[in-house]
């Protein structure tokens, strides 16, 4: 894609994961239905190619949402970018139906995302990181009509791109416990398969996994199956794994209508959403995975051959490297002084921090209004609330849990969310183009 510096795009997307991919599709389908003056867009992604949680594409790991919650279906059921269209194009539609299962494997869903992305390669530039957003020079005296984005590529080159609207979708940031840094023997789950692939399996004789969520449980099971010679220790802050609530009524919190209930609800109502339904997604595990791990534990007890160890109500206080040894210091609510674990590798499946746009916004952040808790205020259409001095649309795909609820960064509402952002951009452009005529009409009347 060739981005001319003097060109002003209607939309520039920062990041090109599933959320902005879905937005690109929504804009593409809008362009296909207009005769003149289509919406122009460009997306920039720091990765060298499209990828979504590649390091957690474990064999047989399944999605936790229905295949119908794809990039488009809840917004446009007849879209050619649906998961069903992908299955048809891949020659697997009948076989998928014969599975009688709503949940594809994570690997197959990733294939679907790559298939959809392949038709939109003309709007995205990879190996390109947006390093900052700023006002154009003329904005010193006039209200800005666009923003300038600084884009750096992996070869050290840089350029400036102009945008009337910016959509930030840089994804979640892997979280490590305070005081613990990544290392060749200290991994975060976001890099798991890459790190595991670089290791010599025979050298992994003692491995620990920290966390009590889906990723921690899946990695624990994976390591147990792939390293039959190794001792595997699961370190959990809870007393065992908790099951994810995916029952029908609980799943309604992921419906698009629930976003309205949350956004326009009282603080008391919002608190109730989290208090009662956090167990639909956060720190919980699918029932099947829990049962598999419990069965492993039971069979080991029957055989009196222990390789899988569970340390409940336990946290890691520190990790130290002494020569070739890695020592993990624990704090347990069950033991007075738990022993120090010596490991060949330890995986922290300790989650992610939400998207924070402040770093990218830089000086522009002063135009963005915040609530009493210091969080960014966000409109219902996912647009940051700004002062009149900055009328440019800055949208967030993620980081809006405090305003939009549980689905802020999840796939469950991705089609509707991206459609709402596209509709907002299209409507605001139409209003801007009509403004001079409306002003002239008012002056003549």
């Amino acid at each position: 894609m060739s981005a001319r510096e003097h060109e002003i795009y209607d939309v520039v997307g920062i990041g090109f994961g599933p959320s902005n991919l879905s937005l690109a599709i929504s804009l593409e389908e809008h362009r296909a239905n207009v005769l003149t003056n289509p919406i122009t867009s460009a997306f920039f992604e720091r990765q060298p190619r499209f990828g979504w949680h590649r390091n957690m594409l474990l064999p047989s790991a399944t999605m936790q949402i229905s295949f119908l919650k794809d990039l488009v279906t809840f917004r446009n059921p007849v879209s050619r970018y649906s998961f069903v269209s992908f299955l048809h194009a891949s020659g697997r539609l009948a076989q998928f139906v014969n599975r009688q299962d709503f949940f594809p494997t994570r690997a197959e869903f990733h294939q679907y995302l790559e298939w959809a992305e392949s038709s939109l390669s003309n709007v995205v530039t990879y190996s390109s990181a947006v390093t900052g957003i700023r006002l154009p020079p003329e904005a010193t005296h006039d209200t800005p009509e666009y923003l300038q984005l600084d884009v750096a590529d992996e070869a050290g080159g840089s350029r400036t791109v102009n945008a009337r609207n910016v959509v930030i979708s840089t994804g979640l940031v892997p979280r490590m416990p305070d005081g613990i840094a990544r290392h060749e023997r200290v991994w975060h789950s976001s890099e798991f398969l890459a790190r595991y692939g670089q290791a010599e399996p025979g050298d992994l004789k003692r491995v620990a996994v920290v966390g009590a969520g889906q990723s921690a449980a899946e990695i624990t099971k994976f390591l147990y199956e792939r390293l039959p010679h190794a001792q595997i220790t699961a370190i959990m802050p809870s007393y065992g794994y908790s099951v994810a609530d995916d029952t029908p009524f609980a799943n309604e919190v992921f419906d698009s209508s629930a976003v309205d209930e949350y956004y326009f609800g009282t603080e008391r109502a919002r608190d109730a959403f989290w208090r009662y339904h956090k167990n639909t997604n956060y720190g919980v595990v699918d029932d099947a995975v829990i049962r598999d791990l419990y069965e492993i534990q039971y069979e080991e007890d029957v055989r009196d051959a222990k390789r899988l160890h569970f340390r409940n109500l336990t946290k890691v206080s520190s990790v130290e490297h002494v020569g070739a040894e890695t020592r993990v210091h624990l704090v347990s609510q069950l033991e007075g002084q738990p022993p120090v674990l010596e490991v060949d590798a330890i995986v922290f499946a300790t989650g992610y921090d939400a998207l924070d746009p402040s770093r990218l916004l830089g000086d522009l952040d002063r135009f963005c209004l915040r609530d009493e808790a210091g969080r960014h205020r966000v409109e219902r259409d996912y647009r940051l609330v700004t002062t009149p001095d900055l009328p440019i649309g800055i949208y967030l795909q993620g980081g809006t849990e405090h305003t939009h609820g549980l689905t802020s960064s999840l796939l469950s509402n991705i089609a509707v969310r991206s459609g709402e952002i596209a509709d907002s951009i299209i409507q605001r452009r139409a209003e801007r183009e009509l403004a001079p005529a409306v002003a002239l009409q008012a002056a003549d009347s």
Side-chain angles (χ1 to χ4, degrees), residues 108-157:
E108 183 176 32
F109 198 82
H110 195 276
Q111 289 178 7
Y112 157 65
L113 296 176
E114 291 179 309
W115 171 83
E117 182 273 343
S118 67
S119 297
L120 294 156
S121 57
N122 61 312
V123 299
V124 59
T125 303
Y126 290 103
S127 299
S128 297
V130 174
T131 58
I133 311 173
R134 52 189 165 81
L135 295 172
E138 63 269 24
T140 305
H141 307 291
D142 303 313
T143 301
E145 295 183 0
Y146 62 94
L147 295 175
Q148 293 190 321
L149 287 76
D150 297 318
V151 183
D153 61 37
E154 62 179 356

Side-chain angles (χ1 to χ4, degrees), residues 212 240-246 279-288 290:
Y241 301 107
S242 298
V243 69
D245 186 352
D246 63 351
N279 66 338
T280 56
N281 184 68
Y282 297 90
V284 290
V285 183
D286 285 347
D287 178 77
I290 292 176

Side-chain angles (χ1 to χ4, degrees), residues 245 249-250 252-253 258 261-263 265-280 282 401-402 405-406:
D245 186 352
F249 286 112
E252 288 188 339
V253 301
E261 298 282 1
Y262 190 94
Y263 186 87
T266 63
E267 283 301 320
R268 186 176 178 182
R270 293 182 183 188
D271 180 66
F273 266 93
W274 289 101
R275 187 169 65 252
Y276 289 112
H277 300 294
K278 190 175 182 179
N279 66 338
T280 56
Y282 297 90
E401 288 88 351
H402 62 292
L406 281 72

Side-chain angles (χ1 to χ4, degrees), residues 25 93 150 380 404 417:
I25 293 171
L93 181 56
D150 297 318
R380 175 60 184 83
H404 291 69
R417 182 173 67 242

Side-chain angles (χ1 to χ4, degrees), residues 157-176:
S158 63
R159 55 175 158 155
T160 300
V161 178
N162 304 320
R164 293 190 178 92
N165 297 276
V166 175
V167 184
I168 302 174
S169 182
T170 50
L172 303 172
V173 180
R175 183 195 307 126
M176 294 289 287

Side-chain angles (χ1 to χ4, degrees), residues 114-421:
E114 291 179 309
W115 171 83
E117 182 273 343
S118 67
S119 297
L120 294 156
S121 57
N122 61 312
V123 299
V124 59
T125 303
Y126 290 103
S127 299
S128 297
V130 174
T131 58
I133 311 173
R134 52 189 165 81
L135 295 172
E138 63 269 24
T140 305
H141 307 291
D142 303 313
T143 301
E145 295 183 0
Y146 62 94
L147 295 175
Q148 293 190 321
L149 287 76
D150 297 318
V151 183
D153 61 37
E154 62 179 356
S158 63
R159 55 175 158 155
T160 300
V161 178
N162 304 320
R164 293 190 178 92
N165 297 276
V166 175
V167 184
I168 302 174
S169 182
T170 50
L172 303 172
V173 180
R175 183 195 307 126
M176 294 289 287
D178 292 340
I180 298 176
R182 297 194 210 180
H183 180 269
E184 60 180 323
R185 294 189 294 273
V186 180
W187 312 338
H188 187 271
S189 58
S190 62
E191 57 185 345
F192 174 68
L193 284 180
R195 287 287 196 177
Y196 179 80
Q198 293 165 1
E200 175 58 49
D203 294 338
L204 298 176
K205 300 180 178 66
R206 302 158 301 175
V207 184
V209 182
V210 181
Q214 182 74 19
S215 294
E218 289 179 346
I219 290 172
T220 299
K221 182 171 179 280
F222 174 91
L223 290 170
Y224 183 87
E225 294 171 345
R226 292 300 181 94
L227 302 174
H229 58 281
Q231 297 291 315
I232 311 297
T233 301
I235 303 169
M236 291 177 280
S238 56
Y239 197 80
Y241 301 107
S242 298
V243 69
D245 186 352
D246 63 351
T247 53
F249 286 112
N251 266 343
E252 288 188 339
V253 301
F254 299 115
D255 292 352
S256 57
S257 59
V259 177
D260 282 333
E261 298 282 1
Y262 190 94
Y263 186 87
F264 297 108
T266 63
E267 283 301 320
R268 186 176 178 182
R270 293 182 183 188
D271 180 66
F273 266 93
W274 289 101
R275 187 169 65 252
Y276 289 112
H277 300 294
K278 190 175 182 179
N279 66 338
T280 56
N281 184 68
Y282 297 90
V284 290
V285 183
D286 285 347
D287 178 77
V289 178
I290 292 176
R291 292 185 181 279
D292 286 345
L293 288 171
Y294 196 86
E295 186 66 20
I296 290 171
Q297 176 182 254
Y298 183 79
E299 286 298 320
E300 286 194 335
D301 286 342
V302 170
R303 299 194 316 268
D304 193 24
K306 201 72 173 171
R307 281 204 307 116
L308 180 58
H309 311 274
F310 294 96
R311 287 191 172 272
N312 298 329
L313 298 179
T314 302
K315 294 183 179 181
V316 175
S317 61
S318 64
V319 177
E320 65 173 339
H321 307 287
V322 181
E325 293 290 341
T326 296
R327 298 173 183 173
V328 181
H329 296 266
L330 305 175
V331 176
S332 172
Q333 298 182 52
L334 298 176
E335 303 176 52
Q337 184 61 43
V340 175
L341 286 181
E342 293 188 352
V343 300
D344 300 305
I346 181 169
V347 186
F348 285 87
T350 44
Y352 297 81
D353 291 322
L355 177 156
D356 180 0
S358 299
R359 182 188 63 80
L360 271 175
L361 292 173
D363 184 58
L364 294 181
D365 200 39
R366 63 190 170 93
F367 297 104
C368 301
L369 304 184
R370 295 177 180 260
D371 63 17
E372 296 80 2
R375 302 167 299 191
H376 285 103
R377 290 174 53 191
V378 187
E379 301 282 7
R380 175 60 184 83
D381 59 3
Y382 300 93
R383 182 166 42 93
L384 284 175
V385 179
T386 59
T387 66
D389 301 319
L390 188 67
I392 312 300
I394 302 174
Y395 296 82
L396 302 181
Q397 294 243 49
T400 59
E401 288 88 351
H402 62 292
T403 53
H404 291 69
L406 281 72
T407 64
S408 171
S409 60
L410 302 181
L411 291 175
S412 295
N413 198 38
I414 191 172
V416 175
R417 182 173 67 242
S418 61
E420 289 174 342
I421 292 173

